[in-house]
Amino acid sequence: MANIYSSKNIVLFLVASPILNLLFIINLYASGNWNLSWTFQAATEAEAVAAISCSGHGRAYLDGLVLDGKEPLCECNSCYAGSDCSVFIPGCSANADGGNPLFLEPFWVQHAASSALLIAGWHRMSYTFNDHTFISQELERLIRKLHAVVGNAVTDKRFIVFGAGSTQVISAAVHALSPDNASSPARVLASIPYYPLYKIQTELFESVNFKFQGDTSQWKNSSDTGANMIEFVTSPNNPDGQLNKAVLHGPHAKAIYDRAYYWPHFTPIPAPADEDVMIFTLSKLTGHAGSRFGWAVIKDESVFDRMTKHIGVNSIGVSRDSQLRALKLLKVVLEGEGREIFEFGHQTMKIRWENLVKGLSSSNRFSLQKIEPQYCTFFHEVRESSPAYAWLKCEREEEKDCYAVLKAANVIGHEGGVFGAEDRYLRLSMIGSQDDFDLLIDRLTKLVSVEAGARIM
Amino acid sequence: MANIYSSKNIVLFLVASPILNLLFIINLYASGNWNLSWTFQAATEAEAVAAISCSGHGRAYLDGLVLDGKEPLCECNSCYAGSDCSVFIPGCSANADGGNPLFLEPFWVQHAASSALLIAGWHRMSYTFNDHTFISQELERLIRKLHAVVGNAVTDKRFIVFGAGSTQVISAAVHALSPDNASSPARVLASIPYYPLYKIQTELFESVNFKFQGDTSQWKNSSDTGANMIEFVTSPNNPDGQLNKAVLHGPHAKAIYDRAYYWPHFTPIPAPADEDVMIFTLSKLTGHAGSRFGWAVIKDESVFDRMTKHIGVNSIGVSRDSQLRALKLLKVVLEGEGREIFEFGHQTMKIRWENLVKGLSSSNRFSLQKIEPQYCTFFHEVRESSPAYAWLKCEREEEKDCYAVLKAANVIGHEGGVFGAEDRYLRLSMIGSQDDFDLLIDRLTKLVSVEAGARIM
């Protein structure tokens, strides 16, 4: 419809006076409307939804519920309610559970124009790209460029495979590193505290070729050299942010390095990682957990082939829509050599960590992990870590259930036991929305002040 | 930038003469430019790429290779080449392999405006929707409405789970129907000819809980009633288009109905399917194989829970970008109660099938599957099947390798052996691009005319 009107304008334009011409030239150029036709409706819809006000405590989405038949509802951040999310729910628990990386959402709102994506109805309908792979060459090229710019991974002469988030890539890696028809299943191991998915996934899939066997410590000096071992190394570690290294070595030990958090938001980058299998995810880089896009950088071609086959058989590769979106987002990330997003991410995480440390400084009841500062080759200076999670310890002998202690203070964390550690530990997310973090600090400060009060009495 | 200019226009508009006002009102209303701001750049990019001419034998994509630093290259249909895909490659093989559903691409080009989607940079960054699921309620609602409109599946009081294409849903279903800690792994079975993925996937994942054991026939009258059996029933069947039913019954037999092709494009719809586990995919409904979106309709809550957990642990649900795109596409599908897309799809497939039957009618060397016409409750009349694939049989005693026979005639099909059948059978795809199909018919007609010539001599 829009372009029909435009042609009308052109006609008017021809018969009009010089001043009229000038005004139309300005207007047509400005609106770009002579080349906007079939995209106009989608663009208008998106702007209409973005214009719905949710008081800064929520958001309306294009696929949100439409109850009144008019426009999508506001979806409120936790602890906010009302049709425009303006009502704070008193006594609501601070949500520091989970790993939703919403701390980056404001960055994307600030970069609305460059990060918007318009997908045509006929975009990439085929199962494969023109080169018969499931992988966008342009996206792969951009990922290699990103690692070079950030300096966090070696990708020259390495293979890259995509998956539906690091989650799917992880299962493909375990499969690829587990020999078929071995005398016994490969032992899947991780050092406590470890990211629970490794255990959950390996146990749920119950393969004849691999079996989760818990902590690495019991196998460090194992004389049983015959059995294959697959060690998960999360670096920086989830939950405690340490730059871990593999502890198992020898001919039968293989490592999967989960590098999800190895970005300047969370940690100094001492040097480019160069392990045999390294896994990354868009989720902790751009904050788009919902897009389900991750990748692995792999040295060995046969491992790459086995992972590619596994992801092919699992889901016929990764959604082309997600790949296109990842491409668009990474183009924004790479603007100005990544300075903007990593400055934003690091600054946000640094301030949050400093606030948390300050809030707990006077406490003898709670302690936090210590992470050594290091030289960051991206920022070219020594930097403190600004971890994605706080690994809180309840120090009082009798307080063995740290989850319960914080729950009583209206803070929901993630139990240490889930990470293979004692329940005296608790993981608190630092990467959520600003609303979540502000409430967390507020609750923790109250908790610590009670402790101080108790000491004074 | 665009909106800054617009505000200029408003100023001019106020000081201008009445006729000028009128013209601006038309123009501004037409361009809608006073409410287009941050989406303008993405919309312009998409239209620029769509405007690249590839001679109707290819397409340029937003994420296509950009070699000259200017615009993405044309990606040509098989057998076409050149910077604008205008060059036909003589002697090139007709591609009737694979299952790319490009026959629907022209429909989406015709519906460019209603099927275009603009995704904001901050769209759905979280792992979960506001209800803590991985599933868009709006999309689920539309899927239920679609099944009701088409009449191809009962969804009342049924659960719906999403996956990355039917491929991921299938593995979740096999997991969900395989009891844990059973004395022996569940037998995964299918009736020959069957869709090869069932075997490939079950064997690659090598679970302790299930094992692929081939054709159902050997188990039909099995006295061994103790072992659990999971039967794949593909209806309409891939490769031969028959509306199959389960052949295994009894307390230990469970069926997974793959309903990927149960749409009016391919088959009459005699009645709504009402099996315990039914699997569908966007791929064969709208043609968007690349979006990797499928779903299952499930009766039993515990099966639904196990499938949901499996897909959660496998990939933390389905890309929100794919879900949003599926929502947009299904809205177009549902316009006018689905008449338009199913008329288009059925008409295209019907004409293709008639051309194929005509092309082979004079042949004694090749035969096609016969499918009984049935009353279609969607079109309200008796309809012939218009199958997605031709299941070709080489009738000559000595021609046991039908793939080789067709390859010699420059036609690439999919060997019968891959479907568990004799290699005297060959699957030919009818759902590819019009270029692929036209070339297929051309090559088959030549092949048959040689046969006729031989008979005359």
Side-chain angles (χ1 to χ4, degrees), chain B residues 4-254:
Chain B
I4 296 165
Y5 276 102
S6 316
S7 49
K8 263 197 199 160
N9 300 334
I10 306 299
V11 177
L12 294 162
F13 173 89
L14 295 173
V15 300
S17 71
I19 182 184
L20 220 54
N21 293 357
L22 178 65
L23 295 171
F24 270 113
I25 286 159
I26 294 167
N27 185 271
L28 285 172
Y29 170 70
S31 69
N33 196 52
W34 50 14
N35 61 22
L36 264 199
S37 63
W38 57 272
T39 60
F40 181 73
Q41 179 183 332
T44 311
E45 281 170 10
E47 293 207 7
V49 170
I52 296 170
S53 164
C54 304
S55 315
H57 301 299
R59 196 164 290 290
Y61 295 104
L62 213 48
D63 55 358
L65 286 182
V66 182
L67 295 185
D68 59 3
K70 281 195 244 73
E71 58 183 24
L73 303 174
C74 281
E75 300 182 16
C76 305
N77 298 348
S78 36
C79 298
Y80 287 85
S83 61
D84 65 350
C85 303
S86 60
V87 183
F88 178 74
I89 304 165
C92 162
S93 297
N95 171 20
D97 193 4
N100 273 331
L102 292 177
F103 74 105
L104 285 164
E105 197 185 57
F107 177 86
W108 296 107
V109 174
Q110 288 164 25
H111 294 76
S114 53
S115 62
L117 169 67
L118 195 137
I119 308 186
W122 58 84
H123 178 75
R124 298 266 181 223
M125 292 174 68
S126 295
Y127 282 103
T128 56
F129 288 85
N130 234 25
D131 61 359
H132 307 296
T133 71
F134 306 134
I135 286 193
S136 158
Q137 289 181 52
E138 275 296 285
L139 180 52
E140 182 180 342
R141 192 180 59 75
L142 233 57
I143 286 172
R144 291 180 188 276
K145 185 175 173 196
L146 175 68
H147 284 303
V149 163
V150 176
N152 67 336
V154 175
T155 64
D156 297 347
K157 305 193 185 68
R158 302 290 183 274
F159 302 94
I160 291 183
V161 62
F162 297 168
S166 57
T167 310
Q168 193 189 34
V169 179
I170 283 167
S171 65
V174 172
H175 163 81
L177 296 181
S178 306
D180 297 325
N181 321 314
S183 55
S184 61
R187 297 189 178 111
V188 178
L189 306 159
S191 296
I192 290 171
Y194 55 76
Y195 177 44
L197 180 92
Y198 308 139
K199 179 178 194 286
I200 294 167
Q201 196 179 65
T202 311
E203 289 182 345
L204 187 78
F205 293 167
E206 281 201 273
S207 164
V208 300
N209 294 323
F210 51 82
K211 197 168 178 42
F212 190 78
Q213 306 216 331
D215 191 30
T216 49
S217 58
Q218 59 185 312
W219 306 101
K220 258 186 228 174
N221 308 314
S222 166
S223 56
D224 172 3
T225 52
N228 293 290
M229 296 188 289
I230 299 169
E231 177 184 2
F232 274 107
V233 185
T234 319
S235 185
N237 193 34
N238 172 4
D240 65 10
Q242 304 297 339
L243 283 169
N244 289 347
K245 289 187 164 48
V247 299
L248 301 177
H249 305 286
H252 299 285
K254 294 166 183 163

Side-chain angles (χ1 to χ4, degrees), chain B residues 268-307:
Chain B
I269 307 293
D274 189 21
E275 294 93 19
D276 292 357
V277 179
M278 301 182 280
I279 295 174
F280 295 88
T281 167
L282 198 67
S283 173
K284 302 306 185 288
L285 163 60
T286 69
H288 293 81
S291 291
R292 314 307 310 127
F293 182 79
W295 67 94
V297 180
I298 305 153
K299 269 186 195 170
D300 182 76
E301 184 163 17
S302 65
V303 172
F304 165 74
D305 291 340
R306 283 172 66 89
M307 287 182 72

Side-chain angles (χ1 to χ4, degrees), chain B residues 342-405:
Chain B
F342 293 119
E343 286 286 2
F344 178 96
H346 177 262
Q347 202 51 29
T348 306
M349 295 307 297
K350 178 171 172 287
I351 290 165
R352 289 185 179 190
W353 184 249
E354 288 167 353
N355 287 343
L356 181 71
V357 169
K358 194 159 120 281
L360 295 178
S361 56
S362 68
S363 173
N364 301 317
R365 188 179 181 186
F366 307 105
S367 67
L368 293 169
Q369 76 265 40
K370 306 261 178 300
I371 307 173
E372 289 306 309
Q374 291 201 58
Y375 184 81
C376 176
T377 55
F378 180 76
F379 287 123
H380 305 295
E381 61 181 22
V382 174
R383 289 233 163 169
E384 299 278 344
S385 168
S386 44
Y389 306 101
W391 186 234
L392 191 77
K393 184 179 181 187
C394 283
E395 294 283 353
R396 289 181 185 168
E397 178 50 33
E398 67 278 18
E399 293 183 335
K400 292 185 166 52
D401 183 352
C402 204
Y403 176 84
V405 171

Side-chain angles (χ1 to χ4, degrees), chain A residues 196-242:
Chain A
L197 178 92
Y198 308 140
K199 179 176 193 285
I200 295 167
Q201 195 179 68
T202 310
E203 289 182 345
L204 187 78
F205 292 168
E206 281 202 273
S207 165
V208 300
N209 294 323
F210 51 80
K211 196 168 180 43
F212 189 79
Q213 306 214 335
D215 190 31
T216 49
S217 59
Q218 57 184 315
W219 304 103
K220 258 186 225 173
N221 309 312
S222 165
S223 57
D224 172 5
T225 53
N228 293 289
M229 298 188 288
I230 299 169
E231 177 183 3
F232 274 106
V233 184
T234 319
S235 184
N237 193 34
N238 173 4
D240 64 10
Q242 304 297 338

Side-chain angles (χ1 to χ4, degrees), chain A residues 142-274:
Chain A
L142 233 58
I143 286 171
R144 291 179 189 275
K145 186 178 173 193
L146 175 68
H147 285 303
V149 162
V150 176
N152 67 337
V154 175
T155 63
D156 298 347
K157 306 196 184 66
R158 302 289 184 272
F159 302 94
I160 291 183
V161 62
F162 298 169
S166 58
T167 310
Q168 193 188 34
V169 179
I170 283 166
S171 65
V174 172
H175 163 82
L177 296 180
S178 306
D180 297 325
N181 319 312
S183 55
S184 61
R187 297 189 176 112
V188 179
L189 305 160
S191 296
I192 290 170
Y194 54 75
Y195 177 43
L197 178 92
Y198 308 140
K199 179 176 193 285
I200 295 167
Q201 195 179 68
T202 310
E203 289 182 345
L204 187 78
F205 292 168
E206 281 202 273
S207 165
V208 300
N209 294 323
F210 51 80
K211 196 168 180 43
F212 189 79
Q213 306 214 335
D215 190 31
T216 49
S217 59
Q218 57 184 315
W219 304 103
K220 258 186 225 173
N221 309 312
S222 165
S223 57
D224 172 5
T225 53
N228 293 289
M229 298 188 288
I230 299 169
E231 177 183 3
F232 274 106
V233 184
T234 319
S235 184
N237 193 34
N238 173 4
D240 64 10
Q242 304 297 338
L243 282 169
N244 288 347
K245 290 188 165 46
V247 299
L248 300 176
H249 305 285
H252 299 287
K254 295 166 184 162
I256 298 169
Y257 271 81
D258 184 339
R259 291 291 191 174
Y261 299 90
Y262 198 49
W263 298 103
H265 308 313
F266 310 111
T267 175
I269 307 294
D274 189 22

